[in-house]
Amino acid sequence: MKENNRNDQLERFFQHNPIEDPLYLKKYVKEHPDHKMAWYLLGREYAAQGKEGKAAYCFAQAGEIYEAFERQKISIEGPLPSYPSPASSKEAESSALKRKTSGKAKWLPVLVLLLLLAVPAGMDLAKGDVKDISSGPSKISDSAPAKTSNSGSVPVEAIASNGVKLYLSEGDWGRKLQQVLGLAGTGTGESVIMEAPSSADGKWQEWNRFVKPLIGVESQAEGGKSAELKYYQSQICSCQIADSTALTPVITTWMRDREQAIVLQSAVQAYQKKTGAMPEKPEQLTKPYPDNLLPGLTPEMQEIFPQVVSRLNESAKSGKPLDAKPATETKDTPQQTTKEPASPANTQPKSSADPLREPLSILIDTDKHQLALVSGNIIIRKYPVGLGAEKTPQGEFVISEKVRNPNGKSNGEFGSRGMTLSDTLYAIHGTNKPSSVGKDESHGCVRMLQADVEELYNMVPHETKVTIGKGILPPESEGSSSPSGGGPGTGAGRGKPDQSFTLPLQTKDDNPGKKYKWLD
């Protein structure tokens, strides 16, 4: 920040005395979310009120300011002040007024001056000019005690094989951090908050690119209530980044389980739509052509089949969406917080596809020559496709037929897989002209590379909704290459064909007796 801008900001800040007007801090951070000094002071205010979870959230937003001053002990030493939580908003205001003149609050005016006058030095320290500041995790002592959530219950937590608990932020890692810190002290071990990147337009979560760890919270229930923060990404703080290598297989396994669950869930829902009843056995999803919803099921999918059917039945009876996100509230918090306690992502049953909550569907963007497999606002896969310009119809369709080796060939004009759209002459299929992918050279059909169409064929059942239109997918994110050339997260296996989603062949899903005449 330029010196003149910093002075102007400090002058505006001093127009209100945060000690005389504590509510001003909350308003100020909303208007100036990048003002880390204000976040730090608000965190202190919450800590003084005994609201440790909210204090921890504010300290996390303060980032390097918290790092610099707490770890250099410029403010008071020892644990954060703890006061009984007020029983009502009136009592809260009264308590705050009393603290302004009490001996316990005498440190606050000095802290304000230190923070406002010493910010440049504090920022330099936090960026690593002093080794003992930037090395190792941050430590927040007594800011995250063992306590229940707003709903009054703490979830039973099953620990992954390496003791790590996973949480998916779903676009708001700060809110999730507040939840996780609120549960610190209920057990030892590390909790990791993950994130799928947002699309360039901010409307989608790009699961297809990666799901990466952001922050680790090391809880230490024995010997005191404390939580140490590990930072796994440089954009979170200007500090030493922890090695996330050991987390990669844990996250990969979690993602694979969720993908298997949503494919199975979508197939069960497709069966119900076609027949009017729920399947009773998993084999009903893998019948021979033309009822071949899926080519087969993995052992894991067969194991969770009863639970998936049960969850869908319960959802239908209750009228509630499957794996619905918890409600939110905004009362007395600088950011939205959920009423329900945070549950580790890796403790959810394998039959749950959460956060992939909605049935799989396909979007085809004729401008970008891209096909995306999505669940709600999450892009699970993205592939380059060949189209036919104005010959490719726009609108909504469903997959009405799936066939292996159309016309008895795996290397013919339709490649090794084909999926008819709404019983028309249009289809999504492979091609023996891979150079046409990314271009407008078809007669109206959607052409795909072999590895891509084979993976898509494994993942989508009959009745999958297909939408074709212009500009319906987000622009390429920074670091991604063109659709025709592939790139991070583009293509089979999220750009790694050797890691494609595969299913065993457990049925006869070819149709040698029919001559397919799709419009290629």
Side-chain angles (χ1 to χ4, degrees), residues 49 99 135 172 215 294 381 441:
Q49 296 178 25
R99 287 197 305 274
S135 61
D172 190 351
I215 299 179
L294 295 175
R381 293 289 190 276
E441 295 183 1

Side-chain angles (χ1 to χ4, degrees), residues 252-272:
T252 299
T253 298
W254 174 79
M255 293 179 69
R256 185 188 65 231
D257 289 344
R258 306 286 74 77
E259 289 178 0
Q260 290 191 108
I262 192 59
V263 168
L264 180 60
Q265 175 188 313
S266 298
V268 170
Q269 291 172 304
Y271 182 93
Q272 182 185 30

Side-chain angles (χ1 to χ4, degrees), residues 150-341:
N150 290 339
S151 65
S153 62
V154 175
V156 177
E157 297 179 348
I159 308 302
S161 59
N162 63 349
V164 176
K165 297 182 286 291
L166 301 177
Y167 298 80
L168 189 68
S169 68
E170 298 193 62
D172 190 351
W173 66 264
R175 176 173 60 83
K176 188 65 66 175
L177 176 62
Q178 182 181 357
Q179 293 178 343
V180 173
L181 286 171
L183 294 174
T186 61
T188 58
E190 183 180 8
S191 299
V192 176
I193 298 173
M194 307 176 296
E195 181 180 67
S198 296
S199 60
D201 60 5
K203 298 179 180 179
W204 301 86
Q205 293 183 67
E206 295 184 320
W207 173 290
N208 63 303
R209 291 175 59 202
F210 53 79
V211 172
K212 65 184 179 181
L214 291 180
I215 299 179
V217 180
E218 187 75 27
S219 300
Q220 300 172 342
E222 300 175 2
K225 302 166 185 176
S226 65
E228 287 188 346
L229 300 184
K230 290 183 181 178
Y231 301 95
Y232 290 107
Q233 303 299 328
S234 59
Q235 70 266 30
I236 301 301
C237 83
S238 301
C239 56
Q240 179 174 321
I241 303 304
D243 183 10
S244 61
T245 303
L247 294 174
T248 300
V250 180
I251 295 175
T252 299
T253 298
W254 174 79
M255 293 179 69
R256 185 188 65 231
D257 289 344
R258 306 286 74 77
E259 289 178 0
Q260 290 191 108
I262 192 59
V263 168
L264 180 60
Q265 175 188 313
S266 298
V268 170
Q269 291 172 304
Y271 182 93
Q272 182 185 30
K273 186 175 181 180
K274 286 174 69 78
T275 67
M278 282 286 188
E280 298 178 355
K281 299 181 294 183
E283 293 78 13
Q284 291 174 282
L285 304 179
T286 59
K287 290 182 176 181
Y289 176 92
D291 299 316
N292 51 313
L293 297 180
L294 295 175
L297 299 175
T298 65
E300 293 83 0
M301 293 169 75
Q302 293 184 25
E303 178 184 354
I304 67 175
F305 172 82
Q307 289 76 34
V308 170
V309 172
S310 176
R311 290 164 66 85
L312 286 168
N313 279 327
E314 291 176 2
S315 175
K317 290 179 181 178
S318 65
K320 296 180 180 179
L322 199 65
D323 292 318
K325 296 172 75 172
T328 60
E329 65 175 357
T330 59
K331 183 179 179 181
D332 198 34
T333 56
Q335 299 284 336
Q336 287 190 345
T337 59
T338 60
K339 292 182 179 179
E340 296 297 323

Side-chain angles (χ1 to χ4, degrees), residues 9 61 101 114 172 272 295 344 401 417 449 452 492 495:
Q9 193 175 47
Q61 298 295 323
T101 56
L114 284 171
D172 190 351
Q272 182 185 30
E401 177 187 26
R417 305 287 188 274
L449 300 175
D452 296 351

